[in-house]
Amino acid sequence: NTPFGIVYARKDIAFVGVGANVALLNTSTFPPTRIYALPTPFRSEPFAVNGLAITRDKRTVYLSSGPGAIAIDVEKAVAGGAVSIVGYLEGTVGNSSIETTLSLHNEYAFVSQEDGSTATGLNGAIEVFRVHSASNGSVSNTYVGYIELGFLVVGTALSPDGNRLYATSENVTDSKTSTRGTLSVLDVKTLKTNPSEALLAIVDAGCAPVRVAVSHEGKHVWVTARESNTLLA
């Protein structure tokens, strides 16, 4: 299977999404070596693991999968993995979760649903969850809602100050002959309370934009436009 997303939990441990599993890598040497692969079904369904996100205290990894995200306790996974799944974020508008981005203080999770559902007219969406972490490491959540964006929503990234969420849509319509995509700018404060009203701006972003990253000072947003074979600023 082809690996999709990666996060570092420590200098010597990385988590990688591989098919319906998450693999742990020992990165203390080069090339890294695989420690083991942990099956990560969303409840009982073996959805693919796509993007990964980790809390700033490195305690919890979120695996984008199926209808939302799976929360993994880092230390339990490193110790052996048997009881490392500590929670699920389950959305309402699709089974094509592709990336998870956490708010500045990890209290909200923003999950991109690439394909959306009939409720979104098959447009992609960003689903919003209020996350509750217990002292024992378990994760629960309150579902806030979603905002419908363009066709095929993939990448998301948070501004350094936590005030803006950027999201790519590969297409402006579901036309198979059009690859003109966009970058949406969302207000995080509004996402937390009324997601459907959070859109601030939409800008052209080449053909089939997918990944997005924000510069350290927050002045530039970098987007990979796949069908344009271009990196855009």
Side-chain angles (χ1 to χ4, degrees):
N1 292 317
T2 304
F4 192 94
I6 182 170
V7 293
Y8 277 81
R10 305 191 310 232
K11 289 183 178 180
D12 61 339
I13 295 288
F15 288 73
V16 181
V18 186
N21 303 317
V22 62
L24 272 72
L25 301 184
N26 178 349
T27 59
S28 61
T29 61
F30 188 83
T33 56
R34 190 171 80 164
I35 301 170
Y36 72 93
L38 172 68
T40 51
F42 197 107
R43 306 200 190 277
S44 60
E45 294 294 325
F47 292 104
V49 174
N50 294 313
L52 283 74
I54 191 165
T55 55
R56 285 156 184 80
D57 60 9
K58 306 295 185 181
R59 291 184 59 191
T60 309
V61 171
Y62 289 90
L63 316 176
S64 300
S65 178
I70 302 167
I72 298 288
D73 184 288
V74 169
E75 292 306 315
K76 290 178 181 177
V78 171
V83 290
S84 59
I85 295 178
V86 291
Y88 298 91
L89 312 183
E90 188 164 1
T92 65
V93 289
N95 290 308
S96 57
S97 169
I98 198 85
E99 280 199 2
T100 297
T101 296
L102 300 172
S103 64
L104 201 58
H105 301 293
N106 307 309
E107 76 275 33
Y108 287 85
F110 310 112
V111 179
S112 61
Q113 282 288 349
E114 184 175 21
D115 299 328
S117 68
T118 54
T120 65
L122 301 184
N123 283 324
I126 303 294
E127 298 198 273
V128 183
F129 303 83
R130 176 73 187 269
V131 176
H132 314 284
S133 299
S135 58
N136 66 358
S138 65
V139 173
S140 59
N141 74 91
T142 301
Y143 184 69
V144 179
Y146 68 90
I147 180 170
E148 176 186 333
L149 296 175
F151 190 67
L152 300 176
V153 174
V154 178
T156 55
L158 191 72
S159 64
D161 61 9
N163 292 331
R164 300 286 181 266
L165 184 75
Y166 300 95
T168 60
S169 300
E170 286 192 52
N171 303 71
V172 292
T173 71
D174 62 359
S175 170
K176 303 303 181 184
T177 61
S178 172
T179 57
R180 185 170 67 87
T182 59
L183 178 72
S184 298
V185 185
L186 307 175
D187 178 68
V188 169
K189 183 177 180 180
T190 307
L191 276 176
K192 293 176 179 180
T193 57
N194 191 12
S196 63
E197 300 297 323
L199 183 64
L200 294 174
I202 301 175
V203 296
D204 289 336
C207 293
V210 281
R211 302 293 188 168
V212 56
V214 186
S215 64
H216 179 71
E217 81 291 341
K219 292 182 179 179
H220 295 89
V221 178
W222 297 93
V223 174
T224 55
R226 186 167 54 200
E227 297 303 323
S228 298
N229 195 30
T230 303
L231 176 65
L232 304 174

